[in-house]
């Protein structure tokens, strides 16, 4: 029960806590390549299960952390006691770290004006934070961008950030990172952050801490955003269904 990782739908999941991840981040400047972190949740894994190109892309990442209570429970059923690290919390720790070290951050994606507003809020927390915000244009599920996206990539390259946060949502953000990360030689840490900018900008409130700690954030999201019901059903019901099928098949195979 002490292994920090397990396999889910052919994807290796790393059950590291924030401290372990930050220690890996501290090693990033000494590496010849950036540290890529995927905030893995049930929705991402369901998509990876059905899309081999996406699964191959996230396999290129260095860490695929446990961002979701359901994934932590899945690890327990595999005999692995994994640490859960919410993506928005880890992203905040990385911003705090960048501000302390004098590193430059870049926020890419989100809705119109969201990245800029998120960066403004972060500067209220860290007045000396060095950073840039880029809306990013349109990106498709293969990670390919439009003309505005091409211009944004050029601007990011010129800005030369140390830490890059990409908020296109899955699968777009991971496919975009896999396709274009080589264009940003200054980047030492890159992370897809989904709706994190919405939280940071204040446009979307987070669930109370007690709900997050008990794995009930999905209930709060459903109450606040009924339009997310399809995504929530995938995470709460469809993911466990397919995971249990795979678990049963693997246990039968070992007999």
């Amino acid at each position: 029960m002490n292994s920090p990782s397990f396999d889910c739908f052919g994807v290796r999941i790393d059950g590291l806590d924030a401290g372990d991840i930050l220690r890996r981040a501290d090693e990033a400047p000494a590496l010849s390549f950036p540290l890529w972190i995927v905030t893995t949740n049930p929705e991402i894994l369901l998509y990876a299960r059905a899309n081999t190109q996406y699964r191959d892309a996230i396999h290129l990442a260095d860490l695929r952390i446990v961002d979701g209570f359901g994934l932590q429970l899945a690890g327990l059923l595999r005999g692995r006691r994994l640490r859960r690290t919410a993506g928005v919390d880890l992203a905040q720790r990385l911003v705090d770290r960048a501000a302390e070290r004098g590193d430059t951050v870049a926020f890419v994606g989100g809705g119109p004006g969201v990245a800029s507003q998120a960066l403004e809020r972060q500067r209220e927390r860290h007045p000396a934070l060095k950073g840039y915000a880029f809306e990013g244009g349109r990106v498709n599920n293969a990670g390919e961008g439009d003309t505005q996206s091409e211009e944004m990539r050029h601007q990011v390259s010129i800005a030369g950030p140390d830490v890059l946060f990409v908020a296109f949502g899955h699968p777009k953000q991971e496919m975009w990172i896999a396709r274009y990360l080589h264009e940003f030689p200054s980047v030492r840490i890159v992370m897809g952050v989904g709706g994190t900018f919405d939280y940071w900008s204040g446009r979307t409130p987070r669930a109370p801490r007690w709900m997050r700690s008990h794995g009930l954030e999905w209930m709060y999201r459903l109450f606040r955003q009924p339009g997310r019901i399809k995504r929530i059903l995938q995470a709460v019901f469809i993911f466990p269904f397919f995971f249990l099928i795979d678990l049963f098949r693997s246990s039968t195979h070992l007999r």
Side-chain angles (χ1 to χ4, degrees):
M1 295 290 288
N2 58 359
S3 176
S5 65
F6 84 109
D7 181 278
C8 184
F9 303 155
V11 177
R12 177 189 169 94
I13 308 300
D14 305 291
L16 305 177
D17 62 21
D20 292 328
I21 297 167
L22 290 173
R23 281 188 285 276
R24 289 287 297 273
D26 287 337
E27 299 170 358
L31 303 177
S32 59
F33 51 86
L35 178 70
W36 177 8
I37 303 168
V38 173
T39 55
T40 324
N41 59 31
E43 287 180 86
I44 283 178
L45 287 168
L46 283 174
Y47 195 90
R49 183 179 186 272
N51 188 299
T52 56
Q53 186 178 13
Y54 181 64
R55 186 166 69 244
D56 290 344
I58 63 176
H59 272 149
L60 297 174
D62 301 281
L63 295 175
R64 288 157 296 276
I65 65 172
V66 178
D67 182 13
F69 189 70
L71 190 51
Q72 188 179 34
L73 289 179
L76 285 174
L77 291 175
R78 286 284 190 188
R80 303 292 187 265
R81 191 179 300 277
L82 308 181
R83 299 296 185 95
R84 180 164 58 106
T85 304
V88 62
D89 294 330
L90 176 60
Q92 185 63 66
R93 295 280 295 271
L94 289 172
V95 170
D96 296 344
R97 173 184 176 276
E100 293 169 2
R101 297 163 59 99
D103 290 342
T104 300
V105 300
F107 294 181
V108 173
V114 175
S116 296
Q117 192 172 1
L119 181 58
E120 182 180 341
R121 290 289 188 90
Q122 288 296 329
R123 282 179 170 149
E124 292 175 3
R125 180 184 178 105
H126 298 292
L129 177 67
K130 296 185 293 185
Y132 300 89
F134 306 95
E135 289 191 7
R138 294 183 178 275
V139 175
N140 62 25
N141 284 352
E144 300 166 329
D146 59 8
T147 302
Q148 184 181 349
S149 177
E150 291 179 8
E151 176 60 25
M152 174 272 295
R153 297 200 316 271
H154 179 63
Q155 292 174 357
V156 171
S157 182
I158 292 174
D162 301 288
V163 185
L164 177 61
F165 297 104
V166 184
F168 295 136
H170 85 277
K172 299 176 183 180
Q173 61 194 20
E174 288 80 27
M175 297 298 291
W176 186 89
I177 291 170
R179 184 179 293 272
Y180 298 117
L181 183 56
H182 68 279
E183 296 185 6
F184 315 121
S186 67
V187 171
R188 287 292 167 262
I189 302 170
V190 60
M191 178 175 167
V193 294
T196 293
F197 297 166
D198 291 321
Y199 293 126
W200 286 352
S201 67
R203 298 192 182 194
T204 301
R206 290 192 72 186
R209 186 177 296 276
W210 70 267
M211 296 188 79
R212 302 200 305 264
S213 63
H214 288 83
L216 298 175
E217 192 167 7
W218 64 271
M219 189 180 297
Y220 182 83
R221 288 179 176 176
L222 181 59
F223 175 76
R224 296 282 308 189
Q225 300 171 295
R228 292 176 60 97
I229 187 168
K230 182 177 179 179
R231 296 179 59 182
I232 290 171
L233 287 175
Q234 282 189 316
V236 178
F237 297 104
I238 298 177
F239 171 76
F241 173 76
F242 282 113
F243 178 80
L244 290 173
I245 288 177
D246 282 6
L247 185 65
F248 175 76
R249 286 174 176 170
S250 64
S251 63
T252 302
H253 177 72
L254 292 174
R255 292 175 183 173

